[in-house]
């Protein structure tokens, strides 16, 4: 008799993981960022100049390591970045790690970009990316073994995790963040006939 888990593993579609990453200590990146900040025609958006958004503490190393350790079923790991290479990841054998430059997935007229929403909107253009992929920021750590079924049902449908946080309550408090704005734009698009 074949177990249900054996059937799921046999039928499982490939699942990839995508990280976005930046090294704010890179002089070439700093020059690009400073030029964009000084361009009066370019609006970087609310909170975009907050240095904490770009500070690199080499957390990507631990994020990737945690995926490799606790999600060994992941086919490929893609790291999307702006003309940078995370050297901390290439000290061993990492044949399934792929570096993707912004220029490979984002049209030139939108570059350079320092807006995570722009980058996220283009992730689906990563060459070779599985239709089933998981997107993590570079400071997300997997802290226990997780099965593929935690993220995708055996038929490929993505799992949804509902948060108790209420967006309308946040807006009533006067919190206007880029993430909140994107959430409301998404709701409005979903409600459009």
């Amino acid at each position: 008799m074949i177990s249900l888990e054996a059937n799921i593993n046999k039928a499982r579609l490939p699942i990839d993981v995508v990280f976005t990453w930046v090294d704010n200590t890179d002089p070439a990146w700093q020059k690009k960022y400073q030029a964009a900040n000084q361009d009066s025609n370019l609006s970087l958006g609310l909170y975009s100049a907050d240095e904490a958004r770009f500070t690199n503490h080499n957390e990507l190393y631990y994020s990737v390591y945690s995926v490799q350790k606790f999600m060994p079923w992941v086919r490929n790991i893609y790291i999307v970045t702006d003309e940078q290479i995370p050297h901390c990841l290439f000290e061993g054998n990492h044949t399934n790690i792929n570096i993707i430059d912004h220029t490979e997935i984002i049209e030139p007229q939108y570059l350079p970009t320092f807006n995570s929403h722009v980058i996220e909107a283009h992730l689906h253009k990563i060459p070779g990316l599985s239709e089933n992929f998981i997107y993590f920021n570079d400071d997300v750590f997997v802290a226990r073994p997780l099965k593929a079924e935690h993220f995708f049902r055996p038929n490929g449908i993505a799992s949804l995790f509902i948060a108790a946080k209420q967006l309308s309550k946040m807006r009533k408090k006067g919190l206007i963040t880029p993430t909140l704005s994107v959430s409301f734009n998404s709701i409005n698009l979903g409600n459009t006939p």
Side-chain angles (χ1 to χ4, degrees), residues 55-102:
T55 303
N56 177 30
H57 301 286
N58 289 324
E59 58 268 73
L60 180 65
Y61 172 82
Y62 300 100
S63 299
V64 169
Y65 175 76
S66 70
V67 167
Q68 291 174 325
K69 180 174 181 166
F70 294 123
M71 299 166 60
W73 42 264
V74 166
R75 182 185 70 158
N76 288 311
I77 297 172
Y78 293 93
I79 299 167
V80 178
T81 187
D82 182 13
E83 297 181 324
Q84 297 179 322
I85 295 176
H87 297 287
C88 65
L89 293 178
F90 295 97
E91 295 166 357
N93 182 16
H94 300 289
T95 56
N96 71 330
I97 297 177
N98 304 280
I99 306 300
I100 303 297
D101 189 72
H102 290 177

Side-chain angles (χ1 to χ4, degrees), residues 13 15 131-135 148-162:
L13 296 172
I15 299 173
E131 181 177 339
N132 297 56
F133 70 93
I134 303 161
Y135 166 59
E149 291 75 30
H150 180 78
F151 300 96
F152 293 96
R153 295 180 182 178
N155 62 1
I157 302 288
S159 299
L160 297 177
F161 304 95
I162 308 299

Side-chain angles (χ1 to χ4, degrees), residues 37-51:
N37 261 341
Q38 292 172 359
D39 185 347
S40 60
N41 295 322
L42 184 65
S43 173
L44 295 182
L46 187 63
Y47 306 119
S48 64
D50 184 352
E51 290 183 22

Side-chain angles (χ1 to χ4, degrees), residues 10-192:
K10 185 177 178 183
R12 181 179 295 145
L13 296 172
I15 299 173
D16 296 328
V17 166
V18 177
F19 288 100
T20 51
W21 175 78
V22 66
D23 177 5
N24 68 318
T25 64
D26 174 18
W29 181 89
Q30 288 175 350
K31 187 176 179 179
K32 247 192 263 189
Y33 183 71
Q34 288 167 358
N37 261 341
Q38 292 172 359
D39 185 347
S40 60
N41 295 322
L42 184 65
S43 173
L44 295 182
L46 187 63
Y47 306 119
S48 64
D50 184 352
E51 290 183 22
R53 294 184 63 242
F54 305 108
T55 303
N56 177 30
H57 301 286
N58 289 324
E59 58 268 73
L60 180 65
Y61 172 82
Y62 300 100
S63 299
V64 169
Y65 175 76
S66 70
V67 167
Q68 291 174 325
K69 180 174 181 166
F70 294 123
M71 299 166 60
W73 42 264
V74 166
R75 182 185 70 158
N76 288 311
I77 297 172
Y78 293 93
I79 299 167
V80 178
T81 187
D82 182 13
E83 297 181 324
Q84 297 179 322
I85 295 176
H87 297 287
C88 65
L89 293 178
F90 295 97
E91 295 166 357
N93 182 16
H94 300 289
T95 56
N96 71 330
I97 297 177
N98 304 280
I99 306 300
I100 303 297
D101 189 72
H102 290 177
T103 59
E104 293 180 61
I105 59 173
I106 304 173
E107 294 80 5
Q109 66 266 31
Y110 303 119
L111 293 174
T113 185
F114 305 94
N115 184 321
S116 59
H117 298 299
V118 171
I119 298 164
E120 291 163 1
H122 290 83
L123 294 181
H124 68 283
K125 295 181 178 182
I126 294 173
L129 181 67
S130 172
E131 181 177 339
N132 297 56
F133 70 93
I134 303 161
Y135 166 59
F136 288 134
N137 287 313
D138 67 347
D139 58 355
V140 172
F141 308 105
V142 181
R144 64 182 172 87
L146 293 173
K147 294 182 178 185
E149 291 75 30
H150 180 78
F151 300 96
F152 293 96
R153 295 180 182 178
N155 62 1
I157 302 288
S159 299
L160 297 177
F161 304 95
I162 308 299
K165 178 172 46 173
Q166 292 185 359
L167 300 176
S168 57
K169 285 185 180 179
M170 293 173 68
R171 184 162 54 179
K172 285 180 186 175
K173 288 181 181 179
L175 296 174
I176 305 296
T177 65
T179 304
L180 188 60
S181 295
V182 167
S183 298
F184 279 109
N185 286 342
S186 297
I187 291 168
N188 290 338
L189 285 171
N191 290 331
T192 303

